[in-house]
Each structure stands twice: as C-alpha cells, then as structure tokens.
Amino acid sequence: MGNTINFTKAALTTLLPPELGKRAVYHDAKTTGLQLRVTHAGVKTFSLFRRVKGGLPERMTLGRFPDMSIEQARKLAARVNSEIEEGSNPAEVKRALKGEPSVSTFFEEYEKRHGMKKKSWSDDQQRFRDYLEKPLGMKKLSSVTREMIGRILSDMESEGKAGATINNVRALASGIFGKAIEWSYLTENPVKGIKTRKSIKRDRFLQSNELPRFFASLGDEPNDTIRDYFILSLLTGARRANVLEMRWNQINLADGIWRIPDTKNGTPQNVTLSPEAAAILVARKANAKGPFVFPGDGASGHLIEPKKGWKRIFDRDELTQIVLRIEAAGGKFSKQDDESLLDSIKRARQDATQMKLDIEGCRMEDLRIHDLRRTLGSWQAKQGASLAIIGKR
C-alpha cells in the first residue's frame, strides 16, 4: 500500500502538506485501517478506513494530530476494529463512542455508585478538583493514556508535592479507571505500571516559639467560622473531615463531649471538650442557624475548603514579623487602607530589603492544616501524657 509508514511523533510532525487543493493520505504500518489525512493547509487528521459487509468502504474520523496522540489513535482504531470484526456497523460504533462519558462525567457516576460510600470521599473530591479535573476532565475515558497520568504525577513531583499526596492522587485515578473497567466502559487501566513514590512520614508541628505567633494571627482572622474551625481543630486533634462536618446534635455541652458517629476507621469516637473548646461552641451555638457547627454556602451545607483562611494566618504573621524588624531598626511601616494583605507584604519585603534587613524566619514555613492534629499529640507528650491517651485523642 502506498504511503505506508510507521506512525511516530517525529514522522508525523515532519510530514509536509500537499499542494493546494490536494490531500495526502498516509497508512499506519502497525494498525489495520488507521490513516492520517493531511490537507494543503497542514491539518492532520486520524481516521479509520475499513471495508464492511458487501465490500462497501467506510471511513470514521477519529481526531486531529497532535491533539490526539498516536497511541490514542491506535487504541481507538483497535477498539473500532474489534467491534467491526464482531459484526457491528462503523456508524453504530461511532455513535457508541460519542456516547462514551468524559472523565468528569464518569466521576459524577463514580460518586453516586461508589465514592459517597468512602470515609475519605471529601478528600477524593478535593484531589480530583486540584489535580485531575483540569488535565483529564474533558477527555473521553478511553482516550486517557498511561503517559497522561504519569505526566500529572511527574508535574506534582516537580512542584514539590509530598510523596504521600502523589500516591493518593495515583490511587484515586486507579480507583476511578478500575470502576470504569468493572462497569464495562474500559478494558485496561491506564494507571497500571506507574510506580508509587517514596513517602516520608511528616513530623512537623507548631513549635513553642511559633504558637504565640499562630494564635495572635489567628485572633485577627475576620472570618469567625474559619477562626473557630482552626482553634477547634487544634484543641480536639480531630481529623479535618470530622471537624468540617461537625453537627450540633453530636455536641453534648453539659457533659463536655463531642460524639463523632463515624470516623475514618469506621468506629464512633467520643472527644472530650476542653473548657476552651466548649466556650467556643457555646458562643457559636448562640448564633447557630443550621445543623452544622461550621456552615457553608455549598450543597453540603458545611465549610468545605479552609485553605485560603489557613494561608491568611501565615500572611498576617509574616507581615507582623517584618514590620517588627523594620521598626526595631528605626524604620516605619503602616498598611494603607486600600491595600490588600499580599500587597502590604510585598511592600514590607521591599522596605526591609532597602534597609538591608534579614527577614529570614519571618514566615512560618511548611505547616499544613493536618499538622494541627500532630501539634496536639506532640504537646500532650511534652506534658507527660501516656501514648495510650495520645492515641485515643
């Protein structure tokens, strides 16, 4: 067959367009019926050409190169060839392919049929939004390749994400495509063969010199829901999801007990409320308007994502620490009324640099919301609490 070549990225990229009004057709040496059609304008389109019953020719457009990779085109062509060999008409196959859900659409089905049964479902939702939805959401399930998944995880690694975070995203992707196989959407899992990353156990918690700064900045938080959420997370040592979903009917203020009905390990837990934690809950109860201690505007009814508030704590503290060093050196700095917090920090950094001040340590680094849980355990240990008590907490 004329113009038969081995489709490689280098070979297809360097193909020259034909003369005006013409179209060149190239055939893949590896996949039956797979073609690349090139117009005089340089548009390159994958298609599948087959003869069906009665010898009638049928051509199905698959997608444009390089938006569709060679591997994707071969995989799709092989799937259509298999359907044709079993007696299906290419037009019927094409309609079936059009009906195949995108990754985002399938994730909605995954949520209804499987995800909501998981204890850590809210974490999975966040991981999907943060790492998988943008690069994969609009793609058909069968078009996702191992290279795509690998690139997402490699990018996370390059951005400095923890090995545990990368492994959690990998596990989520594997679970999604595993269910797609189970529910007859796919035959192969694109995550198969991608190795997990080395996970280093975190030991970061708020140190004695950091706690006063943390509380001072937290006390200046204008959003009382965010402020109280972080204080109760620290005082109870409970998991993030449990605090976010805390309901008033789980709180017994008379006995100072918070009854968590369903924890990550599947068992209920009683959390003893310190006087400080109880005082916060009493104040919030006075203005409560719904079932959740920390209400939100979304469909869940409760606070979902406190990360922006978490960042504000350390932004405010950094500004405070830089200003203290400026003033200690005889300088002056004041926040302007129409200036954002980030703009104030930027201006303060510039002033400190001009004064040749060392601002290292002005920002508390590498602290995550989950570290509040570890902070409680670490300080209990310093106070002589037994490991059994710390573990129970």
Side-chain angles (χ1 to χ4, degrees):
M1 183 181 294
N3 286 345
T4 297
I5 61 174
N6 179 26
F7 283 6
T8 65
K9 186 175 182 179
L12 300 193
T13 301
T14 55
L15 288 175
L16 297 176
E19 61 186 73
L20 185 64
K22 300 287 186 178
R23 175 183 288 144
V25 180
Y26 298 88
H27 307 272
D28 184 25
K30 290 187 175 182
T31 305
T32 302
L34 181 59
Q35 300 178 340
L36 183 79
R37 308 172 82 195
V38 185
T39 69
H40 69 269
V43 177
K44 301 172 182 179
T45 306
F46 289 114
S47 62
L48 182 72
F49 180 84
R50 288 293 304 269
R51 292 188 180 277
V52 293
K53 293 179 180 180
L56 296 175
E58 289 279 0
R59 177 179 284 107
M60 181 189 300
T61 298
L62 304 180
R64 286 189 177 182
F65 174 81
D67 294 336
M68 172 177 278
S69 69
I70 295 169
E71 182 178 349
Q72 290 172 326
R74 282 174 172 161
K75 182 187 293 187
L76 186 53
R79 178 177 171 183
V80 176
N81 278 332
S82 176
E83 297 281 354
I84 292 174
E85 294 299 330
E86 293 177 3
S88 297
N89 183 286
E92 296 173 351
V93 177
K94 187 172 183 177
R95 283 195 293 272
L97 290 176
K98 283 186 176 180
E100 178 186 343
S102 66
V103 173
S104 286
T105 300
F106 179 76
F107 189 70
E108 295 175 4
E109 179 179 352
Y110 178 83
E111 174 181 7
K112 294 174 182 177
R113 298 178 63 178
H114 175 72
M116 295 184 70
K117 302 174 185 177
K118 299 175 66 177
K119 304 293 183 186
S120 58
W121 176 236
S122 60
D123 294 330
D124 282 348
Q125 288 178 306
Q126 179 191 340
R127 290 171 189 135
F128 184 80
R129 289 195 305 266
D130 291 350
Y131 303 110
L132 299 177
E133 187 170 27
K134 185 175 180 180
L136 301 180
M138 300 301 294
K139 297 184 181 298
K140 297 290 188 180
L141 282 173
S142 62
S143 70
V144 177
T145 65
R146 185 169 62 183
E147 285 72 22
M148 291 179 187
I149 303 293
R151 190 178 306 116
I152 291 169
L153 301 182
S154 294
D155 288 346
M156 291 178 65
E157 200 165 29
S158 298
E159 293 167 3
K161 301 299 181 184
T165 301
I166 298 172
N167 290 338
N168 284 334
V169 173
R170 179 195 176 280
L172 172 61
S174 181
I176 291 171
F177 290 104
K179 286 299 179 183
I181 293 172
E182 181 181 333
W183 299 336
S184 302
Y185 287 104
L186 295 177
T187 58
E188 295 181 4
N189 192 325
V191 183
K192 184 178 180 181
I194 299 178
K195 295 181 179 179
T196 57
R197 266 59 173 184
K198 183 178 180 181
S199 180
I200 300 174
K201 190 174 181 62
R202 280 181 64 83
D203 59 357
R204 183 74 164 97
F205 62 94
L206 284 162
Q207 304 294 319
S208 57
N209 65 314
E210 294 174 325
L211 276 171
R213 292 169 54 181
F214 177 82
F215 279 118
S217 180
L218 185 58
D220 290 334
E221 171 59 42
N223 185 322
D224 63 343
T225 297
I226 290 292
R227 182 194 63 225
D228 293 348
Y229 166 77
F230 288 129
I231 296 177
L232 280 177
S233 294
L234 177 59
L235 294 177
T236 63
R239 294 184 184 279
R240 167 177 165 157
N242 291 132
V243 182
L244 288 171
E245 297 170 4
M246 182 188 290
R247 290 174 175 265
W248 288 115
N249 62 11
Q250 300 169 358
I251 306 295
N252 185 334
L253 288 171
D255 294 336
I257 296 293
W258 170 26
R259 174 74 171 177
I260 304 177
D262 193 13
T263 59
K264 187 176 181 180
N265 60 14
T267 59
Q269 180 183 8
N270 289 325
V271 177
T272 301
L273 299 171
S274 66
E276 294 82 4
I280 291 171
L281 289 168
V282 168
R284 293 195 65 80
K285 181 68 172 176
N287 299 307
K289 295 181 179 179
F292 293 103
V293 175
F294 301 108
D297 297 329
S300 68
H302 61 75
L303 180 65
I304 291 293
E305 185 47 78
K307 279 187 176 180
K308 289 183 179 179
W310 181 251
K311 182 177 181 298
R312 286 197 300 271
I313 296 172
F314 301 101
D315 287 343
R316 278 192 301 269
D317 175 67
E318 180 184 359
L319 178 60
T320 298
Q321 300 305 316
I322 296 176
V323 171
L324 287 173
R325 296 193 188 187
I326 290 174
E327 292 176 346
K332 291 184 178 181
F333 182 93
S334 59
K335 188 177 184 298
Q336 298 172 2
D337 292 338
D338 59 345
E339 189 175 49
S340 70
L341 178 57
L342 293 181
D343 286 339
S344 293
I345 293 174
K346 183 178 180 181
R347 190 163 56 86
R349 287 172 180 167
Q350 292 171 344
D351 288 359
T353 300
Q354 290 173 358
M355 296 174 67
K356 297 183 179 179
L357 298 178
D358 179 11
I359 59 174
E360 184 177 354
C362 284
R363 188 174 188 88
M364 291 184 280
E365 299 285 0
D366 191 32
L367 278 163
R368 304 173 187 172
I369 297 174
H370 189 76
D371 295 336
L372 294 176
R373 180 174 165 84
R374 192 177 298 105
T375 296
L376 177 66
S378 298
W379 281 93
Q380 283 182 319
K382 285 187 177 184
Q383 298 301 316
S386 70
L387 292 178
I389 291 175
I390 295 172
K392 181 67 174 176
R393 180 58 123 181

